[in-house]
Coordinates of all heavy atoms in Angstrom, one line a residue:
M1 N 11.2 0.9 -1.3 CA 11.1 2.1 -0.5 C 10.0 1.9 0.6 O 8.9 1.2 0.3 CB 10.7 3.3 -1.5 CG 10.9 4.6 -0.7 SD 10.6 6.0 -1.8 CE 12.1 5.9 -2.9
A2 N 10.2 2.4 1.7 CA 9.3 2.1 2.8 C 8.0 3.0 2.6 O 8.0 4.0 1.9 CB 10.0 2.5 4.1
W3 N 6.9 2.5 3.2 CA 5.6 3.2 3.1 C 5.2 3.8 4.4 O 5.6 3.3 5.5 CB 4.5 2.3 2.7 CG 4.5 1.8 1.3 CD1 3.9 2.3 0.2 CD2 5.3 0.7 0.8 NE1 4.2 1.6 -0.9 CE2 5.0 0.6 -0.6 CE3 6.0 -0.3 1.4 CZ2 5.5 -0.5 -1.4 CZ3 6.7 -1.3 0.6 CH2 6.4 -1.3 -0.7
Y4 N 4.3 4.8 4.4 CA 3.8 5.3 5.6 C 2.4 5.9 5.2 O 2.2 6.3 4.0 CB 4.7 6.3 6.3 CG 4.8 7.6 5.6 CD1 3.9 8.7 5.8 CD2 5.8 7.8 4.6 CE1 4.1 9.9 5.1 CE2 6.0 8.9 3.9 CZ 5.1 10.0 4.2 OH 5.3 11.2 3.5
V5 N 1.5 6.1 6.2 CA 0.2 6.7 6.0 C 0.2 8.2 6.5 O -0.2 9.0 5.9 CB -0.9 5.9 6.7 CG1 -2.2 6.6 6.6 CG2 -1.0 4.5 5.9
D6 N 0.7 8.3 7.7 CA 0.6 9.5 8.4 C 2.0 10.1 8.7 O 2.7 9.6 9.5 CB -0.1 9.3 9.7 CG -0.4 10.6 10.5 OD1 0.2 11.7 10.2 OD2 -1.1 10.6 11.6
E7 N 2.4 11.1 8.0 CA 3.7 11.7 8.1 C 4.0 12.3 9.4 O 5.2 12.6 9.8 CB 4.1 12.6 7.0 CG 3.3 13.9 7.0 CD 3.6 14.7 5.8 OE1 4.7 15.0 5.5 OE2 2.6 15.1 5.0
S8 N 3.0 12.6 10.3 CA 3.2 13.1 11.6 C 4.0 12.2 12.5 O 4.4 12.4 13.6 CB 1.9 13.6 12.2 OG 1.1 12.5 12.6
N9 N 4.1 10.9 12.0 CA 4.8 9.9 12.8 C 6.3 9.9 12.5 O 7.0 9.1 13.0 CB 4.3 8.4 12.5 CG 2.9 8.2 13.1 OD1 2.7 8.6 14.3 ND2 2.0 7.7 12.3
L10 N 6.7 10.7 11.5 CA 8.1 10.8 11.2 C 8.7 12.1 11.5 O 8.1 13.1 11.4 CB 8.2 10.6 9.6 CG 7.6 9.3 9.1 CD1 7.6 9.3 7.6 CD2 8.5 8.0 9.7
N11 N 10.0 12.1 11.9 CA 10.8 13.3 12.1 C 11.9 13.4 11.1 O 12.5 12.5 10.9 CB 11.4 13.2 13.6 CG 10.4 13.4 14.7 OD1 9.6 14.3 14.7 ND2 10.5 12.4 15.6
K12 N 12.1 14.5 10.6 CA 13.2 14.8 9.6 C 14.5 14.9 10.5 O 14.5 15.7 11.4 CB 13.0 16.0 8.8 CG 14.1 16.3 7.8 CD 14.0 15.5 6.6 CE 15.0 16.0 5.6 NZ 16.0 15.0 5.3
S13 N 15.5 14.1 10.1 CA 16.8 14.2 10.8 C 17.8 15.1 9.9 O 17.7 15.1 8.7 CB 17.4 12.9 11.0 OG 18.7 13.0 11.4
D14 N 18.7 15.7 10.6 CA 19.7 16.5 9.9 C 20.8 15.5 9.3 O 21.6 15.9 8.5 CB 20.4 17.5 10.8 CG 21.0 17.0 12.0 OD1 21.2 15.7 12.2 OD2 21.3 17.7 12.9
G15 N 20.7 14.3 9.7 CA 21.6 13.3 9.2 C 23.1 13.4 9.6 O 24.0 12.8 9.1
N16 N 23.3 14.2 10.7 CA 24.7 14.4 11.2 C 25.3 13.2 12.0 O 26.5 13.1 12.2 CB 24.8 15.7 12.0 CG 24.8 16.9 11.1 OD1 25.1 16.8 9.9 ND2 24.4 18.1 11.6
K17 N 24.4 12.4 12.5 CA 25.0 11.3 13.3 C 25.6 10.3 12.5 O 25.3 10.0 11.3 CB 23.8 10.6 14.1 CG 23.1 11.4 15.1 CD 24.0 11.7 16.3 CE 23.1 12.4 17.4 NZ 23.9 12.7 18.6
D18 N 26.7 9.6 13.0 CA 27.4 8.6 12.2 C 26.6 7.6 11.6 O 26.9 7.1 10.5 CB 28.5 8.0 13.1 CG 29.8 8.9 13.1 OD1 29.8 9.9 12.5 OD2 30.6 8.5 14.0
W19 N 25.5 7.1 12.3 CA 24.7 5.9 11.8 C 24.0 6.3 10.5 O 23.6 5.4 9.7 CB 23.8 5.5 12.9 CG 23.0 6.5 13.6 CD1 22.0 7.2 13.0 CD2 23.0 6.9 14.9 NE1 21.4 8.1 13.9 CE2 22.0 7.9 15.1 CE3 23.8 6.5 16.0 CZ2 21.8 8.4 16.4 CZ3 23.6 7.1 17.2 CH2 22.6 8.0 17.4
W20 N 23.9 7.5 10.2 CA 23.2 7.9 8.9 C 24.3 7.9 7.7 O 23.9 7.8 6.5 CB 22.7 9.3 8.9 CG 21.5 9.5 9.8 CD1 21.5 10.2 11.0 CD2 20.2 9.0 9.7 NE1 20.2 10.1 11.6 CE2 19.4 9.4 10.8 CE3 19.5 8.2 8.8 CZ2 18.1 9.0 11.0 CZ3 18.2 7.8 8.9 CH2 17.5 8.2 10.1
K21 N 25.5 7.9 8.1 CA 26.5 8.2 7.1 C 27.3 6.9 6.5 O 28.0 6.9 5.6 CB 27.6 9.1 7.6 CG 27.0 10.4 8.1 CD 28.1 11.3 8.7 CE 27.5 12.6 9.2 NZ 28.5 13.4 9.9
H22 N 27.1 5.7 7.2 CA 27.9 4.5 7.0 C 27.0 3.5 6.3 O 25.8 3.4 6.4 CB 28.4 4.0 8.2 CG 29.5 5.0 8.8 ND1 30.7 5.0 8.4 CD2 29.4 5.9 9.8 CE1 31.4 5.9 9.1 NE2 30.6 6.5 9.9
W23 N 27.7 2.5 5.7 CA 27.2 1.4 5.1 C 27.7 0.2 5.9 O 28.8 0.2 6.2 CB 27.5 1.2 3.6 CG 27.0 2.3 2.8 CD1 27.6 3.5 2.6 CD2 25.7 2.4 2.1 NE1 26.7 4.3 1.7 CE2 25.6 3.6 1.4 CE3 24.6 1.5 2.0 CZ2 24.6 3.9 0.7 CZ3 23.6 1.8 1.3 CH2 23.4 3.0 0.6
Y24 N 26.8 -0.8 6.2 CA 27.1 -1.9 7.1 C 27.1 -3.2 6.3 O 26.1 -3.5 5.6 CB 26.2 -1.9 8.3 CG 26.3 -0.6 9.0 CD1 25.3 0.4 8.7 CD2 27.3 -0.3 10.0 CE1 25.3 1.6 9.4 CE2 27.3 0.9 10.6 CZ 26.3 1.9 10.3 OH 26.4 3.1 11.0
G25 N 28.1 -4.0 6.5 CA 28.2 -5.3 5.8 C 27.5 -6.4 6.6 O 27.0 -6.2 7.7
P26 N 27.3 -7.5 5.9 CA 26.5 -8.7 6.5 C 27.2 -9.1 7.8 O 28.4 -9.0 8.0 CB 26.7 -9.9 5.5 CG 26.9 -9.1 4.2 CD 27.7 -7.8 4.5
S27 N 26.3 -9.5 8.8 CA 26.8 -9.9 10.1 C 27.5 -8.9 11.0 O 27.9 -9.2 12.1 CB 27.6 -11.1 10.0 OG 27.0 -12.2 9.3
T28 N 27.5 -7.6 10.5 CA 28.1 -6.6 11.4 C 27.0 -6.1 12.3 O 25.8 -6.5 12.1 CB 28.7 -5.4 10.6 OG1 27.7 -4.8 9.9 CG2 29.8 -5.8 9.7
K29 N 27.3 -5.3 13.3 CA 26.3 -5.0 14.3 C 25.6 -3.7 14.0 O 26.2 -2.6 13.6 CB 27.1 -4.8 15.7 CG 26.1 -4.8 16.9 CD 26.9 -4.8 18.2 CE 27.6 -3.5 18.4 NZ 28.2 -3.5 19.8
A30 N 24.2 -3.7 14.1 CA 23.4 -2.5 13.8 C 23.7 -1.4 14.8 O 23.6 -1.7 16.0 CB 21.9 -2.9 13.8
P31 N 24.1 -0.3 14.5 CA 24.3 0.8 15.4 C 23.1 1.3 16.2 O 23.2 1.7 17.4 CB 24.9 1.9 14.6 CG 24.4 1.7 13.3 CD 24.2 0.2 13.1
V32 N 21.9 1.3 15.5 CA 20.7 1.9 16.1 C 19.5 1.0 15.4 O 19.7 0.3 14.4 CB 20.4 3.3 15.8 CG1 21.4 4.2 16.5 CG2 20.4 3.6 14.3
S33 N 18.4 1.0 16.1 CA 17.3 0.3 15.6 C 16.6 1.0 14.5 O 16.5 2.2 14.5 CB 16.2 0.1 16.7 OG 16.7 -0.7 17.8
G34 N 16.2 0.3 13.4 CA 15.5 1.0 12.4 C 15.3 0.2 11.1 O 15.5 -1.0 11.2
I35 N 15.0 0.8 10.0 CA 14.9 0.2 8.7 C 16.1 0.5 7.9 O 16.6 1.6 7.8 CB 13.6 0.8 8.0 CG1 12.3 0.6 8.8 CG2 13.5 0.1 6.6 CD1 11.1 1.2 8.2
Y36 N 16.7 -0.5 7.3 CA 17.9 -0.5 6.5 C 17.6 -0.9 5.2 O 16.9 -1.9 5.0 CB 19.0 -1.3 7.2 CG 19.5 -0.8 8.5 CD1 18.8 -1.0 9.7 CD2 20.7 0.0 8.6 CE1 19.3 -0.5 10.9 CE2 21.2 0.4 9.8 CZ 20.5 0.2 11.0 OH 20.9 0.7 12.2
K37 N 18.3 -0.3 4.2 CA 18.1 -0.6 2.8 C 19.5 -1.1 2.2 O 20.5 -0.6 2.5 CB 17.7 0.6 2.0 CG 17.6 0.3 0.5 CD 17.0 1.6 -0.3 CE 15.5 1.6 -0.1 NZ 14.9 2.5 -1.1
C38 N 19.3 -2.2 1.4 CA 20.5 -2.7 0.8 C 21.0 -1.9 -0.4 O 20.1 -1.6 -1.2 CB 20.3 -4.2 0.4 SG 21.7 -5.0 -0.5
L39 N 22.3 -1.6 -0.5 CA 22.8 -0.7 -1.6 C 22.6 -1.3 -2.9 O 22.2 -0.6 -3.8 CB 24.3 -0.4 -1.3 CG 25.0 0.1 -2.4 CD1 24.6 1.6 -2.6 CD2 26.5 0.1 -2.1
G40 N 22.8 -2.7 -3.0 CA 22.7 -3.3 -4.3 C 21.3 -3.5 -4.9 O 21.1 -3.3 -6.1
C41 N 20.4 -4.0 -4.1 CA 19.1 -4.5 -4.6 C 18.0 -3.7 -4.1 O 16.8 -3.9 -4.4 CB 19.0 -5.9 -4.3 SG 18.8 -6.3 -2.6
K42 N 18.2 -2.7 -3.1 CA 17.1 -1.9 -2.6 C 16.1 -2.6 -1.6 O 15.2 -2.0 -1.2 CB 16.3 -1.2 -3.6 CG 17.1 -0.5 -4.8 CD 18.1 0.4 -4.2 CE 18.9 1.1 -5.3 NZ 20.1 1.7 -4.9
R43 N 16.4 -3.9 -1.4 CA 15.7 -4.6 -0.3 C 15.9 -3.9 1.0 O 16.8 -3.4 1.3 CB 16.2 -6.0 -0.2 CG 15.5 -6.9 0.8 CD 16.4 -8.3 0.8 NE 16.6 -8.8 -0.5 CZ 16.0 -10.0 -0.9 NH1 15.2 -10.6 -0.2 NH2 16.3 -10.3 -2.2
E44 N 14.7 -3.9 1.8 CA 14.7 -3.3 3.1 C 14.5 -4.4 4.2 O 13.9 -5.3 4.0 CB 13.7 -2.3 3.2 CG 13.9 -1.1 2.3 CD 12.7 -0.2 2.1 OE1 11.7 -0.5 2.6 OE2 12.8 0.9 1.4
I45 N 15.3 -4.1 5.4 CA 15.1 -4.9 6.6 C 14.9 -4.1 7.8 O 15.2 -2.9 7.8 CB 16.3 -5.9 6.8 CG1 17.5 -5.1 7.0 CG2 16.4 -6.8 5.7 CD1 18.7 -5.8 7.5
T46 N 14.3 -4.6 8.8 CA 14.4 -4.0 10.1 C 15.5 -4.7 10.9 O 15.6 -5.9 10.8 CB 13.0 -4.2 10.8 OG1 12.6 -5.5 10.9 CG2 11.9 -3.4 10.0
S47 N 16.1 -3.8 11.8 CA 17.2 -4.4 12.6 C 17.1 -3.6 13.9 O 16.9 -2.4 14.0 CB 18.4 -4.3 11.9 OG 19.4 -5.0 12.6
N48 N 17.3 -4.4 15.0 CA 17.4 -3.8 16.3 C 18.9 -3.5 16.7 O 19.8 -4.1 16.3 CB 16.8 -4.8 17.4 CG 15.4 -5.0 17.3 OD1 14.7 -4.1 17.0 ND2 14.9 -6.2 17.4
A49 N 19.0 -2.4 17.5 CA 20.3 -2.0 17.9 C 21.1 -3.1 18.4 O 20.6 -3.8 19.3 CB 20.2 -0.8 18.8
D50 N 22.4 -3.2 18.1 CA 23.3 -4.2 18.6 C 23.1 -5.6 18.0 O 23.9 -6.5 18.4 CB 23.4 -4.2 20.1 CG 23.8 -2.8 20.7 OD1 24.7 -2.2 20.0 OD2 23.4 -2.5 21.8
D51 N 22.0 -5.9 17.3 CA 21.8 -7.2 16.8 C 22.7 -7.2 15.5 O 22.9 -6.2 14.8 CB 20.4 -7.4 16.4 CG 19.6 -7.7 17.6 OD1 20.1 -7.9 18.7 OD2 18.3 -7.9 17.5
P52 N 23.2 -8.4 15.0 CA 23.9 -8.4 13.8 C 22.9 -8.3 12.6 O 21.8 -8.8 12.6 CB 24.6 -9.8 13.9 CG 23.8 -10.6 14.8 CD 23.2 -9.7 15.7
F53 N 23.5 -7.7 11.5 CA 22.7 -7.7 10.3 C 22.7 -9.1 9.7 O 23.5 -10.0 10.1 CB 23.4 -6.8 9.2 CG 23.2 -5.4 9.6 CD1 24.3 -4.6 10.0 CD2 22.0 -4.7 9.4 CE1 24.1 -3.2 10.3 CE2 21.8 -3.4 9.7 CZ 22.8 -2.7 10.2
P54 N 21.8 -9.4 8.8 CA 21.7 -10.8 8.2 C 23.0 -11.3 7.6 O 23.8 -10.5 7.2 CB 20.6 -10.7 7.1 CG 19.8 -9.5 7.5 CD 20.7 -8.6 8.2
P55 N 23.3 -12.6 7.7 CA 24.5 -13.1 7.1 C 24.6 -12.9 5.6 O 23.6 -12.6 4.9 CB 24.5 -14.6 7.5 CG 23.1 -14.9 7.6 CD 22.4 -13.6 8.1
Q56 N 25.8 -13.2 5.0 CA 26.1 -13.0 3.6 C 25.0 -13.8 2.7 O 24.7 -13.4 1.7 CB 27.5 -13.5 3.3 CG 27.9 -13.3 1.8 CD 28.1 -11.9 1.4 OE1 28.6 -11.1 2.3 NE2 27.6 -11.5 0.3
N57 N 24.6 -14.9 3.2 CA 23.7 -15.7 2.4 C 22.2 -15.4 2.6 O 21.2 -16.1 2.1 CB 23.9 -17.3 2.7 CG 23.5 -17.6 4.1 OD1 23.1 -16.7 4.9 ND2 23.6 -18.9 4.5
H58 N 21.9 -14.2 3.2 CA 20.5 -13.7 3.3 C 19.8 -13.5 2.1 O 18.7 -13.9 1.9 CB 20.5 -12.4 4.1 CG 19.3 -11.7 4.3 ND1 18.8 -10.7 3.5 CD2 18.3 -12.0 5.1 CE1 17.7 -10.3 4.0 NE2 17.3 -11.0 4.9
H59 N 20.5 -13.0 1.0 CA 19.9 -13.0 -0.3 C 21.1 -12.9 -1.3 O 22.2 -12.6 -1.0 CB 18.9 -11.8 -0.4 CG 19.5 -10.4 -0.3 ND1 19.8 -9.9 1.0 CD2 19.8 -9.5 -1.1 CE1 20.3 -8.6 0.8 NE2 20.4 -8.4 -0.5
Q60 N 20.8 -13.2 -2.5 CA 21.7 -13.2 -3.6 C 21.7 -11.9 -4.5 O 20.5 -11.4 -4.8 CB 21.5 -14.4 -4.5 CG 21.6 -15.7 -3.8 CD 23.0 -15.9 -3.2 OE1 24.0 -15.7 -3.9 NE2 23.1 -16.4 -2.0
H61 N 22.9 -11.5 -4.8 CA 22.9 -10.4 -5.8 C 23.5 -10.8 -7.2 O 24.2 -11.7 -7.2 CB 23.9 -9.2 -5.4 CG 23.3 -8.4 -4.3 ND1 24.1 -7.4 -3.7 CD2 22.1 -8.2 -3.8 CE1 23.3 -6.7 -2.9 NE2 22.2 -7.2 -2.8
S62 N 23.1 -10.0 -8.2 CA 23.7 -10.3 -9.5 C 25.1 -9.6 -9.4 O 25.4 -8.9 -8.5 CB 22.9 -9.6 -10.6 OG 22.9 -8.2 -10.4
Q63 N 25.9 -9.9 -10.4 CA 27.2 -9.3 -10.4 C 27.2 -7.8 -10.4 O 28.0 -7.1 -9.7 CB 28.1 -9.8 -11.6 CG 28.6 -11.3 -11.4 CD 29.6 -11.6 -12.4 OE1 29.7 -11.1 -13.4 NE2 30.4 -12.7 -12.0
T64 N 26.2 -7.3 -11.1 CA 26.2 -5.8 -11.2 C 25.7 -5.1 -9.9 O 25.8 -4.0 -9.8 CB 25.2 -5.4 -12.4 OG1 24.0 -5.9 -12.2 CG2 25.8 -5.8 -13.7
Q65 N 25.1 -5.9 -9.1 CA 24.6 -5.3 -7.8 C 25.6 -5.2 -6.8 O 25.4 -4.5 -5.7 CB 23.4 -6.1 -7.3 CG 22.1 -6.0 -8.1 CD 21.0 -6.8 -7.7 OE1 21.2 -8.0 -7.2 NE2 19.8 -6.3 -7.7
G66 N 26.7 -5.9 -6.9 CA 27.8 -5.7 -6.0 C 27.6 -6.4 -4.7 O 26.7 -7.3 -4.6
D67 N 28.3 -6.0 -3.6 CA 28.2 -6.6 -2.3 C 27.0 -6.1 -1.6 O 26.5 -5.0 -1.8 CB 29.4 -6.2 -1.5 CG 30.7 -6.8 -2.0 OD1 30.6 -7.9 -2.7 OD2 31.8 -6.3 -1.7
I68 N 26.5 -7.0 -0.6 CA 25.4 -6.5 0.3 C 26.0 -5.4 1.2 O 26.9 -5.7 1.9 CB 24.9 -7.7 1.1 CG1 24.2 -8.7 0.1 CG2 23.9 -7.3 2.2 CD1 23.8 -10.1 0.8
R69 N 25.4 -4.3 1.2 CA 25.7 -3.2 2.2 C 24.4 -2.6 2.7 O 23.6 -2.2 1.8 CB 26.5 -2.2 1.4 CG 27.9 -2.6 1.2 CD 28.8 -2.6 2.4 NE 30.2 -3.1 2.2 CZ 30.6 -4.4 2.2 NH1 29.7 -5.3 2.5 NH2 31.8 -4.7 2.0
W70 N 24.3 -2.5 4.0 CA 23.0 -1.9 4.6 C 23.2 -0.5 5.0 O 24.2 -0.1 5.5 CB 22.6 -2.7 5.8 CG 22.4 -4.2 5.5 CD1 23.2 -5.2 5.8 CD2 21.2 -4.7 4.8 NE1 22.6 -6.4 5.4 CE2 21.4 -6.1 4.7 CE3 20.1 -4.2 4.3 CZ2 20.5 -6.9 4.2 CZ3 19.2 -5.0 3.7 CH2 19.4 -6.4 3.6
H71 N 22.1 0.4 4.7 CA 22.2 1.7 5.0 C 20.9 2.1 5.7 O 19.8 1.7 5.3 CB 22.3 2.5 3.7 CG 22.5 4.0 3.9 ND1 21.6 5.0 3.4 CD2 23.5 4.7 4.5 CE1 22.0 6.2 3.7 NE2 23.2 6.0 4.3
L72 N 21.1 2.9 6.8 CA 19.9 3.2 7.6 C 19.1 4.2 6.8 O 19.6 5.3 6.4 CB 20.4 3.9 8.9 CG 19.3 4.4 9.8 CD1 18.6 3.2 10.4 CD2 20.0 5.2 11.0
I73 N 17.8 3.9 6.6 CA 16.9 5.0 6.1 C 15.8 5.5 7.0 O 15.4 6.6 6.8 CB 16.2 4.3 4.8 CG1 15.3 3.1 5.1 CG2 17.3 4.0 3.7 CD1 14.5 2.7 4.0
V74 N 15.5 4.7 8.0 CA 14.5 5.2 9.0 C 15.0 4.8 10.4 O 15.2 3.5 10.6 CB 13.1 4.7 8.8 CG1 12.1 5.1 9.9 CG2 12.5 5.1 7.4
R75 N 15.2 5.6 11.3 CA 15.6 5.3 12.6 C 14.4 5.1 13.5 O 13.6 6.1 13.5 CB 16.6 6.2 13.2 CG 17.0 5.8 14.6 CD 18.0 6.8 15.2 NE 18.3 6.5 16.6 CZ 18.5 7.4 17.5 NH1 18.5 8.6 17.3 NH2 18.8 6.9 18.8
T76 N 14.2 4.0 14.2 CA 12.9 3.9 15.0 C 13.3 4.5 16.4 O 14.3 4.4 16.9 CB 12.6 2.4 15.1 OG1 13.6 1.6 15.4 CG2 11.9 2.0 13.8
D77 N 12.2 5.1 17.0 CA 12.2 5.7 18.3 C 11.9 4.6 19.4 O 10.8 4.7 20.0 CB 11.3 6.9 18.3 CG 11.4 7.6 19.6 OD1 12.2 7.4 20.5 OD2 10.5 8.4 19.9
T78 N 12.8 3.8 19.7 CA 12.5 2.7 20.6 C 12.4 3.1 22.1 O 11.8 2.3 22.9 CB 13.6 1.6 20.6 OG1 14.9 2.1 20.8 CG2 13.6 1.0 19.2
E79 N 12.8 4.4 22.4 CA 12.6 4.9 23.8 C 11.4 5.8 24.0 O 11.1 6.1 25.1 CB 13.9 5.7 24.1 CG 15.3 4.9 24.0 CD 15.4 3.9 24.9 OE1 14.9 4.0 26.1 OE2 16.0 2.8 24.6
G80 N 10.7 6.0 22.9 CA 9.5 6.9 22.9 C 9.8 8.3 23.4 O 9.1 9.0 24.1
T81 N 11.0 8.8 23.0 CA 11.4 10.1 23.4 C 11.2 11.3 22.5 O 11.3 12.4 22.9 CB 12.9 10.1 23.8 OG1 13.6 9.7 22.6 CG2 13.2 9.2 24.9
A82 N 10.9 11.0 21.2 CA 10.7 12.1 20.3 C 9.3 12.5 20.0 O 8.3 11.6 20.3 CB 11.4 11.7 19.0
Ligands
ZN1 ZN1 20.7 -6.7 -1.6

């Protein structure tokens, strides 16, 4: 789980945008910049908008952890607008 010191740096989202609702496979394109968490192992990565997620061999899962799937947990404000 990600850490923070000062919660005034975070905005609560209503989660209605598509990028909050989907899981993304290895090497697919990140819809927005932010912190993404793997469904199977809870590992977190940062990814920039339009960059590909890490390839399938980025890390290994046990059989019970299933496929690597990335989910957006924190969207970063790269435009400084919020
Ligand atoms: Zn994983």
Side-chain angles (χ1 to χ4, degrees):
M1 194 172 290
W3 290 266
Y4 68 92
V5 171
D6 183 351
E7 65 184 309
S8 71
N9 290 314
L10 299 172
N11 291 309
K12 178 79 171 116
S13 171
D14 59 15
N16 282 337
K17 297 286 190 182
D18 277 352
W19 48 69
W20 295 111
K21 301 175 183 176
H22 294 279
W23 296 89
Y24 303 94
S27 301
T28 62
K29 197 171 71 170
V32 292
S33 298
I35 302 173
Y36 291 80
K37 177 177 281 198
C38 178
L39 171 65
C41 68
K42 313 305 183 198
R43 179 188 308 250
E44 295 167 353
I45 60 166
T46 56
S47 194
N48 292 319
D50 298 326
D51 284 354
F53 287 108
Q56 182 69 43
N57 64 359
H58 177 255
H59 64 282
Q60 298 298 312
H61 278 182
S62 68
Q63 284 193 338
T64 58
Q65 289 177 321
D67 294 335
I68 296 173
R69 289 285 180 270
W70 300 106
H71 187 241
L72 181 66
I73 60 168
V74 176
R75 182 181 173 212
T76 48
D77 182 11
T78 56
E79 304 293 327
T81 54

